[in-house]
Amino acid sequence: MYAQMVKSTGKGVMSRADMSPEDAAFQDRIDAGEKIEPKDWMPEGYRKTLIRQIGQHAHSEIVGQLPEGNWITRAPTLERKAILLAKVQDEAGHGLYLYGAAETLGISRDEMTRMLLDGRMKYSSIFNYPTLTWADMGAVGWLVDGAAIMNQVPLQRTSFGPYSRAMIRICKEESFHQRQGFDIMMKMAKGTPQQKAMAQDALNRFWFPSLMMFGPSDKDSVHSAQSMAWRIKMNTNDELRQKFVDQTVPQADYLGLRVPDENLKWNADKGGYDFSEPDWEEFFEVLKGNGPCNVDRLAARNAAWDNGAWVRDGLMAHAEKKRARKTAAE
């Protein structure tokens, strides 16, 4: 869902002259559009890049439940409550699909979780912003999940088979999340003046953090070339960000809301909108752990890990007893 954290192991694409025969044969498979499966030979850099990308994607799905979960009990109607519950449940499932895909690369989900908890793995910066009003549930669905879909649809064609297949189901469910968010925004934008003002406020606060989800500008992103060559990453950050803006601005116009960017204007020559760059200093500060909710998000995940230890221990003990009974029977 969240390609902003993707970094490859080098600053450029390995040249053919520098490739080993195994590397060259692997690249030929990638260039031919073949899927790489877990038991296939792969360069160590490819494996590590996938673990980083899929792991951080999985963490983002799990941490992404937190800003929405605190609105389940406060949803304005029973129908909205049921829809939000289903959405949060979907996010948990997405995390499980992705952890499962990463585990085929030789890393356990326990290890990935510990890397999240001690800061060695990241998650999308967008989830370090607070959800202050019910309108934020609309903005998260419309903007955040909309940006996620923009990132994820190309990943259905990514070169690693388990990741590609996981993304097919995830994208179908994310499209529901985006429509759910837009529906909330539409109801509020067409409601009372106070409700429309709340929707506009949510758009104001989530617009630029949503643009940050695509990662730094291509001119400042020196680590993605190899990921593109390996077809782990399918599009550049700026390509996806431009596509998101071009798709979302007309939706805001339909809602009667104003995108909070004084420099936003249609550029007929390029067939898209010109728009302001996000505040990249803010972006990197949030990544460093200095965002509005970084401490709270990691504290919640650490508490969940610690409080769930007895469940994990019980499951392991049960599995060990089953193995012992099976061995005795043999």
Side-chain angles (χ1 to χ4, degrees):
M1 175 179 184
Y2 313 97
Q4 66 180 43
M5 301 298 180
V6 175
K7 293 182 180 179
S8 70
T9 55
K11 293 188 176 181
V13 180
M14 183 185 296
S15 68
R16 282 278 175 174
D18 294 331
M19 289 183 184
S20 68
E22 293 84 0
D23 286 320
F26 180 83
Q27 189 62 52
D28 287 341
R29 292 188 63 193
I30 297 292
D31 294 343
E34 294 184 30
K35 294 296 183 196
I36 307 301
E37 299 299 336
K39 293 184 178 180
D40 295 344
W41 184 89
M42 63 186 72
E44 185 62 14
Y46 178 85
R47 188 184 75 86
K48 289 182 176 179
T49 300
L50 279 169
I51 288 173
R52 186 181 301 113
Q53 176 166 335
I54 300 173
Q56 291 174 354
H57 189 165
H59 295 329
S60 297
E61 299 285 356
I62 298 302
V63 176
Q65 297 174 98
L66 298 175
E68 294 178 314
N70 70 352
W71 278 97
I72 290 174
T73 60
R74 295 182 284 166
T77 68
L78 182 59
E79 180 184 28
R80 292 293 183 188
K81 186 190 297 288
I83 292 170
L84 187 56
L85 273 167
K87 182 184 179 188
V88 171
Q89 178 178 277
D90 282 350
E91 307 294 8
H94 297 173
L96 292 177
Y97 305 153
L98 293 164
Y99 285 135
E103 284 180 316
T104 68
L105 293 160
I107 186 171
S108 71
R109 76 185 63 185
D110 279 5
E111 184 178 353
M112 285 184 282
T113 299
R114 286 190 289 269
M115 293 172 74
L116 167 68
L117 299 181
D118 66 21
R120 285 177 292 154
M121 267 192 175
K122 304 294 185 182
Y123 56 88
S124 180
S125 64
I126 193 71
F127 299 123
N128 290 311
Y129 291 86
T131 48
L132 304 177
T133 71
W134 174 250
D136 289 3
M137 292 298 93
V140 168
W142 172 39
L143 300 176
V144 176
D145 292 320
I149 292 169
M150 203 66 67
N151 269 320
Q152 291 174 355
V153 167
L155 290 176
Q156 295 176 105
R157 306 191 310 277
T158 194
S159 61
F160 186 56
Y163 193 22
S164 170
R165 291 188 287 272
M167 293 313 306
I168 293 171
R169 179 166 182 174
I170 289 173
C171 284
K172 289 178 180 178
E173 293 177 349
E174 289 291 355
S175 66
F176 151 70
H177 300 170
Q178 195 270 347
R179 290 195 297 272
Q180 171 257 3
F182 188 79
D183 183 66
I184 292 174
M185 295 297 278
M186 185 163 59
K187 291 293 192 298
M188 299 197 74
K190 306 301 182 185
T192 67
Q194 292 84 358
Q195 288 173 319
K196 183 173 183 179
M198 192 181 295
Q200 181 65 59
D201 175 66
L203 172 57
N204 292 347
R205 287 183 288 107
F206 276 92
W207 175 253
F208 283 109
S210 296
L211 297 188
M212 295 176 191
M213 288 177 64
F214 299 99
S217 176
D218 293 338
K219 61 181 172 55
D220 299 319
S221 181
V222 297
H223 297 290
S224 63
Q226 186 62 66
S227 290
M228 295 280 289
W230 279 330
R231 295 178 65 84
I232 293 174
K233 187 175 180 180
M234 307 300 292
N235 300 90
T236 70
N237 299 345
D238 287 341
E239 286 174 350
L240 293 173
R241 188 166 18 250
Q242 181 70 58
K243 188 176 180 181
F244 174 76
V245 172
D246 292 344
Q247 174 180 288
T248 308
V249 170
Q251 295 172 355
D253 291 343
Y254 176 81
L255 293 172
L257 302 177
R258 185 182 64 83
V259 172
D261 182 355
E262 296 298 331
N263 297 316
L264 183 72
K265 62 180 179 180
W266 178 256
N267 184 328
D269 291 336
K270 73 175 185 181
Y273 287 92
D274 292 332
F275 58 94
S276 299
E277 286 278 314
D279 183 346
W280 293 117
E281 288 187 12
E282 176 184 322
F283 171 74
F284 287 112
E285 279 300 305
V286 174
L287 290 190
K288 291 176 185 176
N290 300 322
C293 298
N294 290 68
V295 173
D296 292 340
R297 300 296 186 236
L298 277 182
R301 292 311 308 151
N302 272 280
W305 178 257
D306 293 341
N307 294 336
W310 68 274
V311 178
R312 297 192 301 275
D313 292 343
L315 290 171
M316 293 301 293
H318 177 66
E320 184 58 38
K321 286 182 179 179
K322 287 183 67 176
R323 279 195 296 269
R325 285 196 297 267
K326 182 178 180 182
T327 300
E330 292 173 350

